Amino acid sequence: MGFNVAIVGRPNVGKSTLFNRLVGRRAALVDNQPGVTRDWREGEAQLGDLAFTVVDTAGLQDASPASLSGRMLAHTKVAISSCDVILFVIDARVGPTPDDRAFADLVRRLQKPTILIANKDESGAGQAGALESYSLGLGEPILLSAEHGEGLGDLYEALRAALPSAALPPDDATSQTLPLAADAGQRAIRVAVVGRPNSGKSTLVNRLVGRERLLTGPEPGLTRDAIAVDLTWSGRSFRIYDTAGLRRRAKVDEKLEKLSVADALRAIRFADVVVLLMDAEHAFEEQDLRIADLVEREGRAVVLALNKWDLIEHRPGAITARREEASHWLPQLQGVPVAAISGLLGEGLDWLMQAVVDSYGVWNRRVPTAALNRWLPARIAEHPPPAVSGRRVKLNYITQPKARPPTFILFCSRADAVPDAYRRYLVNALRRDFDLPGTPIRLTLRAKPNPYRDRK
């Protein structure tokens, strides 16, 4: 039986470092700057024979409810309300602070099993602070160094003692069996929501999941980590990744923003479908086109979403005009779906999710080799390849070795002599004739070996 563990504490005590240590990878952003984590993040953790869900939360700070820190505090309270065990983390080298004491009172009122962790105890540097932490009234502290993995054995014993017997694994570890892998056809579609800062990505994800899962507000750049949220829509499973806003590279100079951008790019690379969210009042700006080009080069399926459509004057043909703009500005993604939505009001979300499913289907599409080789002579007759240096290029055979994205190999006599314009002609013909709208298409030209090359 699984259980949930929430990591709480004031900023910069090492909560995200402990989270990364428990999940076994650098899933959460870590920096010396306090207040890096804003949205709470979940991960599957393993400690000995204990398998559980661990939640990394924002640093607890006393602030007015309307401020960003106050909203982060309220967000953290929601995260820990459903957990089974709380790990209250302090900096052992500093010892308990007034903020630690205030939030220890808050945790005690929750009446949940709580484990006090005195972190940053590298080489016994936190002994004095650990002794002072008894005054918090949370029991005996666990001396730990999340950075170096010291003290995890003591944490394991404390977790076993805090959990009810129903949540513990059986004593015979060999009786455990690994869960069966889910059917590949039923795997959740991974969707990354990307765009410029303040385009409404977190608001959209909150509307999709039906609750305030992600921190939102008027401040640009609120989201830092790429946060994954599971969603079921019309019987289909999705895993939605909310990402940090992507600005022009020249404007990104702070280390923390560089880490956030790198996390967003990682979410794009591991996504199946990318929803590029644009402000409907300022759509197709240079940065939007740069992001779309980046997604195409990564080979992901693409859906364009025009957010804040409720602020646009609804004239006849407005969305058709935006689709024509998309074809003009993004010729490499001809036919890409364009959805007009309002994340704030929840308008157009059914159309958006259907476009995601359709784009995923196109991205996975395979064309039979026989159909491709019936198609090739007709396209050559319609537009023969140009002669280069007086020599004709002969196109022999085409096949599709893989999908995700659709990838084709064309065998020909002189691969390096085929102009880029003719390659684009073939790609557009493939897209049109085999119904591959909006998805990246890869076409590789490969020279057929010459059997007479080595003969005298």
Side-chain angles (χ1 to χ4, degrees):
M1 179 179 177
F3 57 95
N4 297 331
V5 175
I7 305 174
V8 304
R10 62 182 178 82
N12 215 27
V13 294
K15 298 184 298 298
S16 295
T17 303
L18 178 58
F19 175 86
N20 288 342
R21 175 65 63 180
L22 291 174
V23 300
R25 57 191 175 91
R26 289 187 174 273
L29 298 184
V30 176
D31 192 71
N32 290 331
Q33 178 181 337
V36 171
T37 303
R38 287 175 173 172
D39 288 296
W40 49 274
R41 175 195 283 271
E42 294 180 346
E44 297 305 315
Q46 185 83 32
L47 190 58
D49 58 351
L50 297 178
F52 53 94
T53 300
V54 62
V55 181
D56 181 28
T57 65
L60 300 170
Q61 300 182 72
D62 192 13
S64 64
S67 67
L68 175 58
S69 297
R71 301 201 307 274
M72 289 166 59
L73 176 59
H75 206 55
T76 297
K77 288 180 179 178
V78 172
I80 63 179
S81 62
S82 59
C83 70
D84 300 300
V85 179
I86 297 174
L87 303 184
F88 189 89
V89 185
I90 67 168
D91 187 335
R93 293 177 297 184
V94 175
T97 66
D99 283 344
D100 288 325
R101 301 181 195 283
F103 295 122
D105 291 339
L106 183 151
V107 168
R108 279 199 303 272
R109 288 196 295 271
L110 295 175
Q111 296 184 349
K112 290 179 179 286
T114 302
I115 299 172
L116 176 60
I117 293 180
N119 192 28
K120 305 185 183 181
D121 181 48
E122 291 82 3
S123 302
Q127 295 287 341
L131 290 174
E132 293 179 26
S133 67
Y134 279 94
S135 62
L136 296 175
L138 296 176
E140 181 180 357
I142 303 296
L143 284 164
L144 194 75
S145 171
E147 179 69 26
H148 299 94
E150 300 173 4
L152 293 180
D154 295 335
L155 176 58
Y156 167 81
E157 295 296 339
L159 274 174
R160 284 193 70 99
L163 291 171
S165 58
L168 293 174
D171 293 332
D172 183 8
T174 60
S175 66
Q176 291 181 316
T177 57
L178 293 175
L180 295 175
D183 182 10
Q186 299 300 318
R187 182 179 64 82
I189 300 176
R190 295 188 296 264
V191 182
V193 182
V194 303
R196 290 182 284 127
N198 220 25
S199 57
K201 298 181 291 297
S202 298
T203 301
L204 171 62
V205 176
N206 283 342
R207 178 62 66 171
L208 286 172
V209 300
R211 58 193 175 97
E212 292 297 314
R213 168 62 180 84
L214 301 167
L215 193 65
T216 60
E219 303 91 347
L222 271 183
T223 302
R224 286 174 171 166
D225 294 88
I227 304 297
V229 180
D230 292 320
L231 168 68
T232 300
W233 192 277
S234 298
R236 191 70 185 262
S237 297
F238 300 86
R239 191 163 179 81
I240 312 290
Y241 291 83
D242 180 34
T243 63
L246 299 174
R247 297 196 298 165
R248 289 177 56 192
R249 182 180 296 180
K251 293 186 176 181
V252 179
D253 52 3
E254 294 184 2
K255 176 187 174 184
L256 186 54
E257 186 173 0
K258 290 180 180 178
L259 293 173
S260 298
V261 169
D263 210 28
L265 297 179
R266 193 178 304 112
I268 291 173
R269 293 188 184 102
F270 285 96
D272 301 319
V273 182
V274 174
V275 174
L276 173 53
L277 201 63
M278 296 183 284
D279 189 325
E281 295 182 299
H282 309 284
F284 301 105
E285 292 194 354
E286 182 182 3
Q287 182 63 2
D288 294 324
L289 304 182
R290 288 177 182 270
I291 297 172
D293 187 59
L294 167 69
V295 175
E296 192 277 337
R297 284 188 277 115
E298 291 293 340
R300 306 298 99 183
V302 186
V303 174
L304 303 183
L306 301 177
N307 195 25
K308 308 179 185 179
W309 191 252
D310 53 303
L311 304 179
I312 299 293
E313 182 182 353
H314 291 179
R315 293 173 294 181
I319 187 61
T320 302
R322 292 304 175 90
R323 292 193 178 106
E324 292 174 354
E325 279 189 77
S327 297
H328 171 74
W329 290 112
L330 299 170
Q332 71 274 39
L333 293 170
Q334 285 289 332
V336 62
V338 180
I341 67 169
S342 171
L344 185 63
L345 302 180
E347 297 174 355
L349 300 190
D350 286 318
W351 203 99
L352 172 65
M353 298 307 293
Q354 187 59 50
V356 168
V357 173
D358 293 343
S359 295
Y360 181 72
V362 172
W363 190 61
N364 282 275
R365 187 166 297 162
R366 283 185 174 273
V367 182
T369 299
L372 286 170
N373 286 285
R374 287 194 300 268
W375 166 87
L376 183 61
R379 299 289 71 78
I380 295 174
E382 179 184 69
H383 185 184
V388 180
S389 301
R391 297 173 59 190
R392 185 168 63 94
V393 176
K394 190 174 182 180
L395 308 182
N396 303 108
Y397 179 82
I398 186 171
T399 186
Q400 183 186 359
K402 65 182 288 290
R404 305 165 63 93
T407 301
F408 302 89
I409 296 179
L410 176 60
F411 295 89
C412 55
S413 58
R414 301 171 61 203
D416 56 346
V418 177
D420 288 340
Y422 195 76
R423 186 196 297 260
R424 288 194 294 271
Y425 159 73
L426 293 174
V427 168
N428 290 333
L430 284 167
R431 191 185 301 280
R432 179 192 68 226
D433 297 337
F434 294 108
D435 193 23
L436 299 170
T439 193
I441 293 178
R442 302 289 185 255
L443 177 61
T444 301
L445 302 181
R446 187 172 296 174
K448 195 174 181 181
N450 183 356
Y452 303 103
R453 172 172 296 178
D454 297 329
R455 293 192 180 184
K456 294 184 180 179

